[in-house]
Amino acid sequence: MGDFPYADRFTVNRTLPEQGRPRADVLAELHAMAEEEDAFWESGKCSGTMYSGDHEHYRFLAEAFGDFAHVNVLQRDMCPSATKLEGEIIAMALDLMHAGAVEDTTTAGMVTSGGTGSILHAVLAYREQAAARLNGRRPNFVKPETGHPAFDKACHLFGIELRTAPVDPANTVVDPADVARLVDRDTIAVMGSAGNYGYGTIDPIAELGQLALERGVGLHVDGCLGGFILPFGEELGYDVPAFDFRVPGVTTISADTHKYGYSFKGSSTLLFRDKALRNAQYFHLAGWSGGKYMSPGIEGSRSGGLLAATWAAMVHYGRAGYRAHAQEIFATAASMMAAVRSHPELRIMGHPTFCFSFTSDDFDIYHVADRMRERGWRFNGQQYPNAIHMAVTRPQTRPGVAEEFATDLAEAVAYAREQHAAGKEAFSSAIYGGVAGGLTTEVEDLIVAVMSDMLDIQQGLPPVGTG
């Protein structure tokens, strides 16, 4: 649609209109955009993004959301339902993460605005709890290279030194010995993924937990992606190692309800082995003229709609519902990975479960991405090495999607061979690819410039006379 989508079809609002439009007119415009945009992911040809893909479920959540959309959950005296809903969301998530295995402390949790929100709050809690021990020294946090960039963001925002451990290129997980070499007296915590976004592989959480106990640091398990599907994969008999509170040394876990928990975007859970760590990141201001102020998290006002929708999704599906969807997803992922493995030129990265990436040692994998895009597929590209990422969600479990993937992949591999033999470069490398030797200052400056240009366009308006 170009830089200014829908400008040729709908009015561009350059100022607040003097007279408002009828509700039916406004809704008709929104419905038209939503219907057209839904048509893309409904094909099942996209990685991740739409985890449920069930319009009946979305309508159910929308009804639950609508009843509480106008509610501010800070005002618990006016809306005590928020206490019930949030408390039960946390209790159900703690149960899923085997909080019952914890005997020596009182477990607790928070509902946050998403995976990044959960990670930010976890890192902040570790920093605040360690402040007295560090006595002014700068804290550091250790993550595997595959750890989500939200940890980098948290360290940047909170003045924490980030130390990055390499991952084994063969199995795509971190070696605890490499993490141990980066831990010192100023380390506040380390982390491992279950699983990491890039490859869907699970770091050795048990070994990292032992390391954390020996060195007296926290261990955060990032289950933002896998937290609401891996437990059910384990129940189904898949090879899912323990990564939750059953593992000694695990002190916090993030698990997104807005991914495989099938709630609306904007909800996640952060779980604590010991509520004292949760309490460490509270903010309070006793002397403000507006009254005594205290906030349990970074956010202030929040809509009760997200709590209602998340609670509704969890109690509607229950363990049996989540397990049934997990079974379909794991089976579909296995089928799609089998299609990849049927081509000797392609290689699966590590040993993934429901989310996987593949590359090629024979040609640039982005040639495959180019041809698959022509067939309507939307993948996430990766670098170091170039790879194609596929997070299997419910839309891929629909009849025929996995078979179509196998057919289109076979044709794309043949195309990639031809392009490689002809010495042609892949188009996708300009979008997804990295640069040899890693990031340089010039490349970082370019990325900032591109992002700025994107925001200026996406938050801007088309030229006057258009729309």
Side-chain angles (χ1 to χ4, degrees):
M1 288 189 176
D3 292 337
F4 303 106
Y6 305 108
D8 59 336
R9 297 168 52 191
F10 301 124
T11 300
V12 176
N13 296 289
R14 301 181 185 279
T15 62
L16 184 67
E18 180 63 30
Q19 298 296 327
R21 295 163 58 186
R23 290 175 177 172
D25 183 24
V26 173
L27 290 175
E29 183 172 327
L30 292 173
H31 289 332
M33 290 187 285
E35 185 174 340
E36 293 176 17
E37 292 171 10
D38 283 347
F40 172 76
W41 61 259
E42 286 170 349
S43 68
K45 293 185 174 183
C46 64
S47 171
T49 308
M50 297 296 174
Y51 290 84
S52 172
D54 180 342
H55 284 291
E56 184 177 346
H57 178 64
Y58 291 149
R59 284 189 289 271
F60 166 65
L61 295 188
E63 187 170 347
F65 184 99
D67 284 342
F68 295 90
H70 56 286
V71 168
N72 183 354
V73 301
L74 289 181
Q75 308 297 332
R76 298 298 172 103
D77 57 332
M78 295 174 59
C79 49
S81 58
T83 296
K84 168 185 169 62
L85 299 175
E86 190 161 30
E88 292 183 13
I89 291 168
I90 292 168
M92 288 185 283
L94 283 168
D95 176 61
L96 190 62
M97 296 296 123
H98 291 92
V102 178
E103 298 179 352
D104 53 338
T105 60
T106 302
T107 56
M110 301 173 61
V111 175
T112 74
S113 60
T116 293
S118 289
I119 289 167
L120 288 175
H121 282 93
V123 174
L124 178 61
Y126 286 118
R127 188 195 73 172
E128 294 301 282
Q129 188 182 61
R133 171 175 66 83
L134 294 178
N135 193 28
R137 300 190 307 275
R138 188 184 185 192
N140 67 70
F141 184 96
V142 182
K143 76 158 200 171
E145 189 279 327
T146 48
H148 196 278
F151 291 97
D152 302 59
K153 179 186 288 187
C155 290
H156 169 72
L157 293 174
F158 301 144
I160 299 167
E161 178 193 353
L162 178 69
R163 297 179 176 179
T164 303
V167 298
D168 186 325
N171 60 26
T172 72
V173 298
V174 74
D175 184 338
D178 289 327
V179 174
R181 280 188 281 273
L182 297 174
V183 174
D184 62 19
R185 66 172 186 160
D186 297 333
T187 301
I188 54 176
V190 302
M191 65 81 56
S193 300
N196 60 62
Y197 163 81
Y199 306 118
T201 49
I202 302 171
D203 285 316
I205 303 301
E207 292 87 342
L208 291 174
Q210 186 61 38
L211 167 65
L213 289 173
E214 292 172 354
R215 304 297 287 274
V217 300
L219 170 58
H220 179 84
V221 174
D222 180 16
C224 286
L225 182 62
F228 277 85
I229 187 170
L230 289 176
F232 303 107
E234 180 183 358
E235 290 181 10
L236 291 165
Y238 287 93
D239 183 18
V240 178
F243 64 87
D244 52 32
F245 289 126
R246 289 173 294 178
V247 177
V250 171
T251 46
T252 52
I253 304 172
S254 52
D256 286 359
T257 42
H258 70 192
K259 290 190 174 76
Y260 293 97
Y262 306 127
S263 183
F264 281 146
K265 285 297 182 184
S267 70
S268 175
T269 58
L270 172 61
L271 311 173
F272 300 83
R273 179 180 288 271
D274 186 349
K275 71 176 182 180
L277 178 58
R278 178 203 62 183
N279 296 354
Q281 49 85 60
Y282 287 169
F283 176 81
H284 54 84
L285 184 64
W288 181 45
S289 59
K292 293 177 175 60
Y293 178 90
M294 183 169 182
S295 173
I298 296 171
E299 297 93 351
S301 297
R302 292 183 291 151
S303 169
L306 280 171
L307 288 180
T310 300
W311 178 88
M314 296 175 76
V315 298
H316 167 66
Y317 281 126
R319 298 187 78 97
Y322 282 119
R323 189 163 50 245
H325 289 317
Q327 186 170 23
E328 295 173 340
I329 289 170
F330 273 83
T332 300
S335 175
M336 296 176 79
M337 285 190 280
V340 173
R341 292 188 176 104
S342 72
H343 300 282
E345 304 95 333
L346 303 181
R347 174 168 57 87
I348 298 282
M349 307 289 288
H351 304 285
T353 51
F354 62 92
C355 168
F356 64 94
S357 291
F358 59 99
T359 187
S360 175
D361 299 319
D362 295 342
F363 47 67
D364 187 347
I365 196 66
Y366 291 146
H367 284 307
V368 173
D370 286 348
R371 183 47 62 99
M372 294 290 277
R373 183 183 295 108
E374 294 174 5
R375 299 293 183 268
W377 291 89
R378 177 188 180 274
F379 298 113
N380 298 314
Q382 296 176 295
Q383 57 186 359
Y384 315 130
N386 290 353
I388 292 175
H389 173 269
M390 183 71 211
V392 179
T393 60
R394 288 184 61 197
Q396 285 81 58
T397 66
R398 294 172 180 168
V401 176
E403 291 77 8
E404 193 169 358
F405 172 81
T407 299
D408 291 343
L409 180 64
E411 199 276 335
V413 169
Y415 169 82
R417 287 196 216 100
E418 295 170 359
Q419 297 301 298
H420 178 73
K424 294 183 179 180
E425 293 186 2
F427 170 76
S428 294
S429 61
I431 301 173
Y432 301 116
V435 284
L439 287 177
T440 64
T441 301
E442 291 77 11
V443 174
E444 291 180 342
D445 289 344
L446 175 62
I447 291 173
V448 171
V450 170
M451 176 62 72
S452 179
D453 186 56
M454 286 173 59
L455 289 177
D456 288 343
I457 292 173
Q458 292 172 0
Q459 297 174 359
L461 297 173
V464 175
T466 304

